[in-house]
Amino acid sequence: PKPKPRTWTAVFVFFALVFCLTGRISAEPGLEVVEERTLTTKTFDNGDGTFTLETHAGHIHYVDKATGTLKDCDTSLVDMGDKWLQTKASYQCEIPKYADGDFVFTDLFEDKDQTVVMRPLAKHVLGGMDDSDCLVNKRVLYRNAYGKVLHLRVTAGNTGLFKEVIIENKPEPLRDLSF
C-alpha cells in the first residue's frame, strides 16, 4: 500500500502577544514531533493522520553544541553573583550587575563564535530584575543610569539582546531658543 501523504494545518502564532496575554500558546495540538523541528518551527502530530505546523518569525529553538540537537530557547537570566548569564539561545550573553560594567554578547548562530564586549557610558548604578510584564527573569533595569529618570533596560530575547533607554517623565516644554 502507498503511504498516506501528510496533511498539514498551518498555525501562524504571534507568539509574544499570545504568550504574554495567556501565558501559553493558544493552539491545542497533539504531541510534538521533535525530529521535525527547525529554528523557527514546531510540528505536532494530531493523532488523526494530520499535523499542525507552528511557525514563528524569530527563533524558538537553538542548536545545543553538546548534542547537536535543536532545543527550546530559554533566555531566562541566571544570577551568577556579579552578573547575569544566558546560554540557551543562538547567542550567549553576560549582563553586569552595574550599568557601567561590560556587557558580553557571543553570537553562536550557524557555527559563528563572535564576541562583542560593550560598556555603556552610564553611571555606576546597580541593576535589578524588571519583572513588570510577561518577560520574567529576562530583563534588567538600571534606574537613573543616565541621570535622573533616565533608565537603561536590557532584555534577553530569543534572537538577540535589546538595549533601551527609558525616559520616565515627559521633559519640560522648551522655552525660547535663540542662536
Side-chain angles (χ1 to χ4, degrees), residues 149-166:
V149 303
L150 296 173
H151 314 306
L152 170 63
R153 183 167 69 182
V154 180
T155 304
N158 282 5
T159 58
L161 196 59
F162 303 93
K163 296 147 304 285
E164 304 167 276
V165 174
I166 298 171

Side-chain angles (χ1 to χ4, degrees), residues 88-126:
K88 296 180 179 177
S90 294
Y91 71 96
Q92 295 179 354
C93 69
E94 297 176 15
I95 299 175
K97 289 293 174 123
Y98 288 89
D100 61 344
D102 288 338
F103 288 74
V104 180
F105 179 91
T106 303
D107 182 1
L108 301 170
F109 181 60
E110 294 183 340
D111 294 324
K112 286 185 265 181
D113 191 2
Q114 304 171 12
T115 299
V116 175
V117 179
M118 50 204 142
R119 180 179 290 170
L121 297 174
K123 293 183 177 184
H124 187 73
V125 296
L126 182 63

Side-chain angles (χ1 to χ4, degrees), residues 32-51:
E32 183 185 1
V33 183
V34 176
E35 307 80 43
E36 297 290 329
R37 282 182 174 178
T38 70
L39 289 171
T40 60
T41 66
K42 287 182 181 278
T43 302
F44 296 91
D45 185 339
N46 297 325
D48 61 1
T50 66
F51 296 83

Side-chain angles (χ1 to χ4, degrees), residues 41-146:
T41 66
K42 287 182 181 278
T43 302
F44 296 91
D45 185 339
N46 297 325
D48 61 1
T50 66
F51 296 83
T52 299
L53 177 68
E54 179 183 292
T55 186
H56 298 256
H59 292 184
I60 57 169
H61 298 115
Y62 71 100
V63 178
D64 181 337
K65 297 294 182 187
T67 64
T69 60
L70 288 172
K71 303 276 185 171
D72 288 329
C73 287
D74 178 3
T75 58
S76 297
L77 297 168
V78 178
D79 191 337
M80 304 301 289
D82 61 337
K83 63 188 168 196
W84 289 280
L85 188 64
Q86 181 287 120
T87 61
K88 296 180 179 177
S90 294
Y91 71 96
Q92 295 179 354
C93 69
E94 297 176 15
I95 299 175
K97 289 293 174 123
Y98 288 89
D100 61 344
D102 288 338
F103 288 74
V104 180
F105 179 91
T106 303
D107 182 1
L108 301 170
F109 181 60
E110 294 183 340
D111 294 324
K112 286 185 265 181
D113 191 2
Q114 304 171 12
T115 299
V116 175
V117 179
M118 50 204 142
R119 180 179 290 170
L121 297 174
K123 293 183 177 184
H124 187 73
V125 296
L126 182 63
M129 279 290 144
D130 178 9
D131 294 338
S132 61
D133 56 22
C134 67
L135 298 174
V136 177
N137 292 328
K138 296 175 191 280
R139 284 189 165 155
V140 176
L141 179 64
Y142 302 93
R143 292 196 165 279
N144 302 313
Y146 296 113

